[in-house]
Amino acid sequence: MKIGLIGGTGPEGRGLGMQLGLAGHDVVIGSRYEVKAIETAREMADTCGSEEASSRYSGADNAAAASGCEVIFLTVPYAGMTSVLHSIGRHLRGKICVNTIVPLEFVGGQARNIAPPTGSAAEEAERLVPEARWVAAFHTVPARGLMRPGSRLNTDALVCSDDPEALKSVMELAHEMQGLRGINAGLLENARYLEGATALLININRIYGAHGSLKVMGI
Ligand SMILES: NC(=O)c1ccc[n+]([C@@H]2O[C@H](COP(=O)([O-])OP(=O)(O)OC[C@H]3O[C@@H](n4cnc5c(N)ncnc54)[C@H](OP(=O)(O)O)[C@@H]3O)[C@@H](O)[C@H]2O)c1
């Protein structure tokens, strides 16, 4: 599959892109700046540790990444979500779009969820581009582990969507990543809990000086 990461030059986009390339997909790193995207893709090819996978990473501006790929990951900060969707929205029609965005602010060293009026960033994106097949996932999977080829993640990707086929496809993508398990987290409206839980997770990690993630026990 050809997979584009919008804002893929940051840690989350690089990490997910790294894993998807190692799993055998063609990965297009997107950026507002084509040169930065190409440079990031080159760095990923150099560090992925697999000659076979190294040919799978390329870079393009966000619009070209969105128009040229079958599945799109949105990996920009919440502050950039609306402007990015205005610029690439027409390329997302009918495509599976995976929203990883956690709307956060830091106040006095504490992470706080910015609750959008729609309830979640995921539902806000769906309102902005209703023609896309929206899935929200990977919020609680830290970029740090994803970026390291060869490390086993041993965590869960909680996946939610109103489109059962799109949800299944993204769960399968999660399963393809090293040590990651995709968990069906129900309808897209559940993204508000995933986004909020991520703020809590960041605060717990700060207290313990750790890099913990979430895993559902008993499933
Ligand atoms: N980091 C994590 O561990 C993690 C885990 C789960 C979910 N997430 C979510 O994933 C998303 C990306 O996280 P990140 O840590 O990779 O973020 P980041 O480094 O701050 O941003 C990622 C990329 O987004 C682009 N960008 C930045 N500001 C923008 C704006 N105003 N408009 C359009 N594009 C902009 C930049 O790419 P260009 O300059 O190349 O365009 C940047 O490299 C966030 O929404 C975050 O909540 C992160």
Side-chain angles (χ1 to χ4, degrees):
M1 204 151 23
K2 197 166 180 188
I3 302 177
L5 295 114
I6 306 306
T9 53
E12 187 67 1
R14 281 175 185 246
L16 288 165
M18 175 65 78
Q19 296 296 326
L20 292 165
L22 290 170
H25 300 286
D26 289 323
V27 170
V28 182
I29 294 296
S31 168
R32 291 168 291 182
Y33 316 103
E34 186 187 16
V35 173
K36 185 176 171 187
I38 292 169
E39 183 52 33
T40 302
R42 193 175 297 133
E43 284 170 22
M44 290 167 66
D46 288 346
T47 54
C48 72
S50 153
E51 203 174 315
E52 195 190 351
S54 65
S55 61
R56 300 193 191 115
Y57 303 100
S58 63
D61 65 54
N62 282 331
S67 66
C69 290
E70 306 154 68
V71 172
I72 310 299
F73 280 68
L74 205 54
T75 57
V76 296
Y78 178 61
M81 186 178 85
T82 301
S83 66
V84 159
L85 287 179
H86 278 137
S87 68
I88 65 164
R90 66 187 183 285
H91 302 303
L92 304 182
R93 289 189 190 121
K95 294 183 183 175
I96 295 176
C97 292
V98 186
N99 196 337
T100 69
I101 294 174
V102 183
L104 275 185
E105 61 183 354
F106 287 89
V107 181
Q110 280 273 112
R112 274 201 199 147
N113 184 235
I114 306 165
T118 48
S120 65
E123 291 159 286
E124 191 176 337
E126 188 194 36
R127 280 210 194 159
L128 290 168
V129 187
E131 307 86 0
R133 303 173 67 192
W134 285 105
V135 176
F138 299 101
H139 306 81
T140 58
V141 182
R144 188 186 164 94
L146 291 168
M147 284 198 290
R148 272 201 306 260
S151 66
R152 284 194 65 76
L153 295 159
N154 190 26
T155 189
D156 289 343
L158 303 166
V159 184
C160 50
S161 177
D162 297 337
D163 179 328
E165 278 181 24
L167 187 146
K168 187 166 171 274
S169 299
V170 176
M171 281 178 62
E172 284 167 7
L173 287 177
H175 279 291
E176 290 174 14
M177 299 184 196
Q178 48 196 8
L180 199 60
R181 184 176 64 153
I183 293 282
N184 184 340
L187 298 176
L188 195 71
E189 67 179 43
N190 287 335
R192 64 191 64 186
Y193 307 120
L194 297 182
E195 294 172 12
T198 310
L200 174 65
L201 181 62
I202 290 169
N203 290 329
I204 292 171
N205 279 332
R206 284 191 163 199
I207 292 165
Y208 284 89
H211 301 283
S213 56
L214 295 187
K215 196 166 170 68
V216 181
M217 307 305 284
I219 292 179

